[in-house]
Amino acid sequence: MATLTILNGTGKGQTCELPLDEPIIIGRDPNCGLRIPDPYVSRHHCHFLWNGIAVIIADLQSTGGVVINGQETPHATIDKTTVVQIGSTKIQLTIDPPPKEGIAVTTLAPPTTPQRSGRFNFKDLIGLQIQNFEVGPILAAGNNGVVFKARDTKQLEIAALKIFPPEMSVNEEDKQRFVRAMKTMIPVKHPNIVGIINAGIAEGLCWIAMEYVDGEDLAQVIGKLGVNNMLDWKTCWKTAVDVGRGLHAAHQQNIVHRNLTPQNLLRREHDKSVLIGDLALAKALEGNLAFNVTSPGTVLGDLPYLAPERTKSDAEVDIRGDLYSLGATLYHMLTGKPPIQGDTTAELINAIRNVVPQMPNELQMSVNVYFQDLVMKLLNKNPLSRHQTPLELLEELKRIGNYANLNY
């Protein structure tokens, strides 16, 4: 069981039990699953999803963000009692997970996805089969879809199955763009890229079956490890090497990520390798219904990690924007906060274009000066002053590693 209890304000003492496998929206709007009458809370502030083991929290692009243990985060997975703050309201999340039985998988005769009537509910997919993938429990949920743990009946392996909202597949042009982009990704195989196993459209739902990565995204890692949510620079260096290698493989195929953030960089548990997720997804989701990513010429991705040139209407999309986003992620890992901050979209965009971030070693004195210079070069406002390719970045990382006796 997962329960929310409001600890302060006019709603103090109010409780709400989270339904299993069904997101509940929290905000100021009267129609929210849990309404919080706090002027600093957005109308639709965030959602909570209880999957029987943990609670997945996702910010719905609110004004004030979601703060967990003093750290603002757009996405987190909580598996124990903790306090979450939205606006000026503190909410205690209490989790008492019962033993969770394995989900019985039912293979349906074609069509293998449920006939939908009325409001679509992702949890209705659990236990069904999409192509050769048996749909298991929900792993994560966001604005642009839900990720399920699934079983590949052909390879007899675990996979991650991402299914997009039905609204995405209304437009035929959008569907075909999605299919084309995913087909370009299936042949791309690299140890630092989450592999695409297959993709398609079933009963109007766009889906991607991906390599299953047993671990956490870097947003979760940042929130859990290190003093004051800062990570040792050598750990950050290794992350830079892993992501740089993945970007180099993508660059060789003329693929640009477009939305590189801590949330789509996954760190595998057993060897701590970092893999790039959602590669080419931004391209696949261009069009009228792009959810977290948008058509060319508009702002794309999570703003604190967005390259300055990408905030302009005539934005040029190339690998240097991905390298900036990597620099912003490394900065966040080193300092515990993104390089750019602001209370409104306008403030953020102005800061991205004009404000030079504080030097990392002013916040963590142990940061290697050469690695700091590399991160700040990645964050240069002018694309011409950054590393021009992932290979150029990797060469500099290798020099720093040799100097510091790190295993490249």
Side-chain angles (χ1 to χ4, degrees), residues 100-118:
K100 189 161 183 178
E101 301 295 332
I103 293 177
V105 177
T106 304
T107 303
L108 302 184
T112 55
T113 51
Q115 299 294 325
R116 299 187 299 277
S117 59

Side-chain angles (χ1 to χ4, degrees), residues 14 16 24-38 41-45:
Q14 183 180 351
C16 174
I24 180 171
I25 296 177
I26 296 177
R28 209 174 64 249
D29 192 290
N31 295 320
C32 286
L34 177 61
R35 180 175 180 267
I36 298 181
D38 178 343
V41 170
S42 298
R43 291 179 63 83
H44 299 94
H45 199 102

Side-chain angles (χ1 to χ4, degrees), residues 218-234:
L218 288 188
Q220 295 168 300
V221 173
I222 291 168
K224 288 184 176 181
L225 298 179
V227 179
N228 297 323
N229 296 326
M230 298 178 189
L231 290 163
D232 177 76
W233 81 267
K234 295 178 182 178

Side-chain angles (χ1 to χ4, degrees), residues 269-291:
E269 178 61 31
H270 76 270
D271 62 359
K272 307 304 181 187
S273 291
V274 177
L275 287 74
I276 302 172
D278 283 350
L279 187 61
L281 185 59
K283 181 66 176 176
L285 297 186
E286 284 177 354
N288 298 321
L289 294 168
F291 300 94

Side-chain angles (χ1 to χ4, degrees), residues 235-353:
T235 300
C236 300
W237 175 88
K238 178 60 168 60
T239 296
V241 171
D242 286 349
V243 178
R245 287 171 173 166
L247 288 177
H248 176 56
H251 187 228
Q252 289 180 309
Q253 301 290 329
N254 296 315
I255 296 171
V256 179
H257 193 292
R258 301 171 177 231
N259 192 31
L260 198 69
T261 68
Q263 286 71 46
N264 49 45
L265 294 172
L266 308 178
R267 190 165 81 161
R268 193 162 48 211
E269 178 61 31
H270 76 270
D271 62 359
K272 307 304 181 187
S273 291
V274 177
L275 287 74
I276 302 172
D278 283 350
L279 187 61
L281 185 59
K283 181 66 176 176
L285 297 186
E286 284 177 354
N288 298 321
L289 294 168
F291 300 94
N292 279 345
V293 291
T294 56
S295 302
T298 58
V299 173
L300 175 69
D302 291 351
L303 279 174
Y305 309 95
L306 192 69
E309 65 272 17
R310 300 287 302 285
T311 68
K312 300 174 182 177
S313 60
D314 57 349
E316 180 181 356
V317 177
D318 64 28
I319 194 66
R320 295 173 299 181
D322 285 350
L323 292 172
Y324 177 97
S325 298
L326 171 58
T329 298
L330 295 171
Y331 186 98
H332 195 165
M333 295 174 72
L334 287 170
T335 67
K337 63 181 183 180
I340 299 300
Q341 299 181 70
D343 294 329
T344 66
T345 300
E347 288 180 7
L348 276 170
I349 291 177
N350 178 67
I352 290 168
R353 294 175 179 174

Side-chain angles (χ1 to χ4, degrees), residues 44-202:
H44 299 94
H45 199 102
C46 62
H47 82 221
F48 283 50
L49 175 68
W50 164 238
N51 65 12
I53 299 174
V55 172
I56 300 160
I57 304 172
D59 186 9
L60 298 178
Q61 298 182 338
S62 64
T63 301
V66 177
V67 177
I68 299 172
N69 296 328
Q71 173 72 35
E72 184 175 342
T73 178
H75 182 278
T77 301
I78 305 299
D79 58 5
K80 58 185 178 180
T81 300
T82 192
V83 174
V84 180
Q85 181 169 339
I86 64 173
S88 60
T89 301
K90 293 184 177 180
I91 304 171
Q92 180 171 287
L93 171 60
T94 303
I95 300 175
D96 183 21
K100 189 161 183 178
E101 301 295 332
I103 293 177
V105 177
T106 304
T107 303
L108 302 184
T112 55
T113 51
Q115 299 294 325
R116 299 187 299 277
S117 59
R119 182 175 176 270
F120 178 70
N121 194 330
F122 278 102
K123 74 175 183 179
D124 292 339
L125 298 173
I126 296 175
L128 304 183
Q129 182 163 320
I130 293 179
Q131 198 160 318
N132 55 291
F133 297 95
E134 297 171 342
V135 184
I138 293 175
L139 296 173
N143 288 345
N144 69 356
V146 172
V147 179
F148 297 83
K149 192 173 185 177
R151 179 175 177 269
D152 183 346
T153 59
K154 284 186 178 179
Q155 301 297 324
L156 302 180
E157 294 178 349
I158 299 298
L161 185 68
K162 185 164 189 173
I163 301 177
F164 299 88
E167 292 84 359
M168 175 185 162
S169 53
V170 171
N171 183 287
E172 186 62 29
E173 182 182 349
D174 291 345
K175 288 192 289 186
Q176 293 309 313
R177 180 187 294 107
F178 170 83
V179 170
R180 287 194 302 270
M182 287 300 100
K183 282 183 177 179
T184 66
M185 278 304 303
I186 291 173
V188 178
K189 305 298 179 185
H190 189 273
N192 296 111
I193 295 175
V194 177
I196 303 295
I197 302 169
N198 206 346
I201 301 171

